[in-house]
Amino acid sequence: MALRTTISERQRRLGAELRKLREQAGLTVSEAGGLIGMGRVHLTHVEAARTAIPTPRLRALCESYGCTSATYVDALVCLSEDKGKGWWSAYKGKLPASALDLAELEAKADALASYESLFIPGIFQTEDYTTSIFRADDEVNTPEAIETAVGFRMARQGILTGERPPEVHAVIHEAALHMRFGGAAVMRKQLLRLIELSELPNVTIQVLPFAAEGVSTLSTPFLVLSSHGRALQTVLLETPAESLFLHDAEPITKYRKQFDRLRAAALPPIDAKVSPATHETRDSLGLIQYVLYTL
């Protein structure tokens, strides 16, 4: 039995879900493996994502664990049978594995909920804005590396207008509108891009103003991805050291509640069809237009 030398987030997620189901059923690895004619070592490798599991055995294992949600079991089968190939495969070996994992997750997502405090979300960025960010990056430090990183980020934006575009809801802190990445002209183009993207039926963009009440000013950026009929959810936290993919119930609930607080405190979404002058209160479009005026 050949074991994987490289493990993707999708494969890691399947193993984690199976381990969680087994533990909830109160079974040891040996007991669970015996239910489907699989040895303890083999099932240990499956849960560690070091090897695959055939679909009939996967379904039998879920049934043995008492899992009754057909939607959830089908989601696990999709994780197992998916080959993990896509446009991002061309970047293998050129970018960190976590970047490819994110692109694969986004491609399968039904919904994205993001909060950014200092940057415009990656899938909303213009090419010039992205380039200015990577030029200041210590890790991406050659023209070739910058070109690759920028091209990858631009390719990720294809999900916004694809055949099955996910629902995207972004809350962006006002501070991100004032950060001068690339200078005033680049920022002006970037802010206009936000207004343009808000016209897509699947995109909602809100700005969290400096004056917002009831939310922590120290809220860290995060992304919540829902996939497979929203049966699976993942929270992504990006740090200078690593990207963390969380999928346990507790952190997902925590960040879901945090996002609800942020969007409730944020200004009403950008609506380019309605003039800010007709609104009785401030809205996201009005604030963006004000920042544009001051650039």
Side-chain angles (χ1 to χ4, degrees), residues 96-155:
S98 59
L100 308 188
D101 286 335
L102 172 58
E104 184 177 357
L105 280 169
E106 288 176 333
K108 303 297 181 181
D110 302 306
L112 306 175
S114 77
Y115 169 67
E116 284 287 350
S117 56
L118 295 177
F119 298 93
I120 303 302
I123 59 171
F124 294 161
Q125 293 176 7
T126 66
E127 185 171 343
D128 289 341
Y129 180 94
T130 301
T131 299
S132 68
I133 290 175
F134 283 121
R135 281 178 177 165
D137 192 304
D138 292 333
E139 299 295 326
V140 184
N141 51 21
T142 67
E144 293 78 12
I146 291 174
E147 182 180 2
T148 298
V150 172
F152 180 80
R153 186 162 294 181
M154 294 302 102

Side-chain angles (χ1 to χ4, degrees), residues 116-290:
E116 284 287 350
S117 56
L118 295 177
F119 298 93
I120 303 302
I123 59 171
F124 294 161
Q125 293 176 7
T126 66
E127 185 171 343
D128 289 341
Y129 180 94
T130 301
T131 299
S132 68
I133 290 175
F134 283 121
R135 281 178 177 165
D137 192 304
D138 292 333
E139 299 295 326
V140 184
N141 51 21
T142 67
E144 293 78 12
I146 291 174
E147 182 180 2
T148 298
V150 172
F152 180 80
R153 186 162 294 181
M154 294 302 102
R156 283 176 50 209
Q157 299 180 9
I159 64 169
L160 296 176
T161 54
E163 293 184 4
R164 289 181 54 258
E167 294 180 13
V168 181
H169 193 153
V171 175
I172 306 170
H173 198 284
E174 182 181 349
L177 308 184
H178 294 277
M179 298 293 288
R180 295 292 184 94
F181 292 108
V186 171
M187 284 306 302
R188 175 176 288 275
K189 184 178 178 181
Q190 177 61 73
L191 296 182
L192 291 173
R193 174 66 171 161
L194 287 181
I195 298 174
E196 175 188 345
L197 288 172
S198 71
E199 297 178 1
L200 293 174
N202 56 307
V203 174
T204 300
I205 301 174
Q206 291 179 264
V207 177
L208 182 70
F210 287 123
E213 299 180 359
V215 294
S216 171
T217 57
L218 299 178
S219 297
T220 56
F222 61 89
L223 172 66
V224 183
L225 304 101
S226 302
S227 64
H228 300 86
R230 309 202 184 195
L232 300 176
Q233 296 185 73
T234 301
V235 173
L236 170 62
L237 302 176
E238 293 190 284
T239 73
E242 62 179 334
S243 296
L244 301 176
F245 295 93
L246 311 177
H247 36 71
D248 289 336
E250 185 176 349
I252 288 174
T253 299
K254 172 185 174 182
Y255 282 100
R256 275 289 179 197
K257 289 182 178 179
Q258 178 73 338
F259 186 77
D260 288 342
R261 286 194 292 269
L262 289 165
R263 69 177 182 178
L267 297 174
I270 299 174
D271 187 349
K273 299 185 295 296
V274 180
S275 169
T278 65
H279 293 188
E280 295 182 358
T281 59
R282 299 170 68 200
D283 67 356
S284 296
L285 177 59
L287 180 52
I288 289 177
Q289 290 181 325
Y290 170 77

